[in-house]
Amino acid sequence: MQRAELETYLQTFLQVEKFRDYAPNGLQVEGRSQIKRIVTGVTACQPLIDAAISWQADAVLVHHGFFWKSEPQVLVGMKQRRIKALLAHDINLFAYHLPLDAHPDVGNNVMLAHQLGLQKTQPVSDLPQELLWRGQLSQEMSPEGLTEWITKRLGRAPLHLPASNTVIRAVAWCTGGAQDYIDQASALGVDAFISGEVSERTFHSAAEQGVHYYAAGHHATERYGIQALGEHLARQFGLEHKFIDIDNPV
């Protein structure tokens, strides 16, 4: 398919116009106009780019791309090497951040819920951009049991900050660096909150508000949305798709 056709489809499918984000969503580096092979991955790091080059991909589709508001605007060092490699091999880079977190079918939050077997899942619609979700475990678990379940399903042991209650059924979650949603999660009356990253202040919020907190890994919680998006595009347009998981313990 044509690059412009893919860009237009993703813009509509992910409802990009709804989001105020920290980086541009869409085509970030322009490559060849015809796309047959797509590599997906969480972050546009050099190992992912190298793997895409080796597979002779026409496009790389990621959750974490380039040009974040907080980073320098100059193309030097690591960023220069990454972009140079893409341009030298005429590979497109597409990146979708918050739109991929929130999507109801292939988004990071809904796909994490599938991975953990959560039920009665729904976004908390009164929050901006519907990034916080809530639901229930398929059966009640002890706090230790939920740690074991997350470890089994994500292949990574979470950091557990305990609360006083001994049974967990209702949970809220938001993938990635969403630890500060714990206050909104507490207001929902859930037993536990799951996100990717953790901060020093999260310990106190969890303890004082009586909510078990699980930091399951930024990368580990956001592997599933981008993969689902790539699989969707492969089915929709007959593209060749390969998800490449570059290991990241954070």
Side-chain angles (χ1 to χ4, degrees), residues 84-99:
K84 182 178 180 180
L86 290 168
L87 292 174
H89 291 86
D90 209 16
I91 297 175
N92 297 278
L93 175 67
F94 293 88
Y96 296 92
H97 186 230
L98 295 183

Side-chain angles (χ1 to χ4, degrees), residues 122-134 172 184 188:
Q122 60 182 12
V124 179
S125 59
D126 59 339
L127 289 176
Q129 306 186 117
E130 301 181 348
L131 296 178
L132 180 66
W133 284 56
R134 66 186 301 174
Q184 290 93 325
L188 298 174

Side-chain angles (χ1 to χ4, degrees), residues 182-225:
I182 190 171
D183 299 326
Q184 290 93 325
S186 173
L188 298 174
V190 298
D191 304 309
F193 176 60
I194 303 167
S195 75
E197 295 188 19
V198 64
S199 297
E200 185 274 343
R201 59 188 174 272
T202 316
F203 171 79
H204 302 289
S205 293
E208 294 177 33
Q209 297 183 91
V211 178
H212 289 274
Y213 176 75
Y214 295 85
H218 196 136
H219 178 85
T221 59
E222 296 194 330
R223 284 182 300 206
Y224 307 103

Side-chain angles (χ1 to χ4, degrees), residues 151-168:
T151 301
K152 178 180 179 180
R153 297 301 297 163
L154 302 189
R156 178 194 186 279
L159 172 67
H160 172 216
L161 303 179
S164 58
N165 55 311
T166 58
V167 175
I168 297 176

Side-chain angles (χ1 to χ4, degrees), residues 78-164:
M78 178 180 68
K79 187 188 290 187
Q80 185 267 359
R81 292 190 295 272
R82 291 173 173 179
I83 294 176
K84 182 178 180 180
L86 290 168
L87 292 174
H89 291 86
D90 209 16
I91 297 175
N92 297 278
L93 175 67
F94 293 88
Y96 296 92
H97 186 230
L98 295 183
L100 186 61
D101 287 322
H103 197 273
D105 299 318
V106 301
N108 284 322
N109 282 316
V110 71
M111 295 308 298
L112 180 62
H114 290 329
Q115 191 68 16
L116 295 178
L118 302 178
Q119 300 177 347
K120 298 182 180 179
T121 62
Q122 60 182 12
V124 179
S125 59
D126 59 339
L127 289 176
Q129 306 186 117
E130 301 181 348
L131 296 178
L132 180 66
W133 284 56
R134 66 186 301 174
Q136 293 184 353
L137 300 174
S138 59
Q139 60 183 14
E140 291 183 351
M141 294 184 186
S142 67
E144 297 76 20
L146 183 53
T147 296
E148 294 173 3
W149 178 244
I150 292 172
T151 301
K152 178 180 179 180
R153 297 301 297 163
L154 302 189
R156 178 194 186 279
L159 172 67
H160 172 216
L161 303 179
S164 58

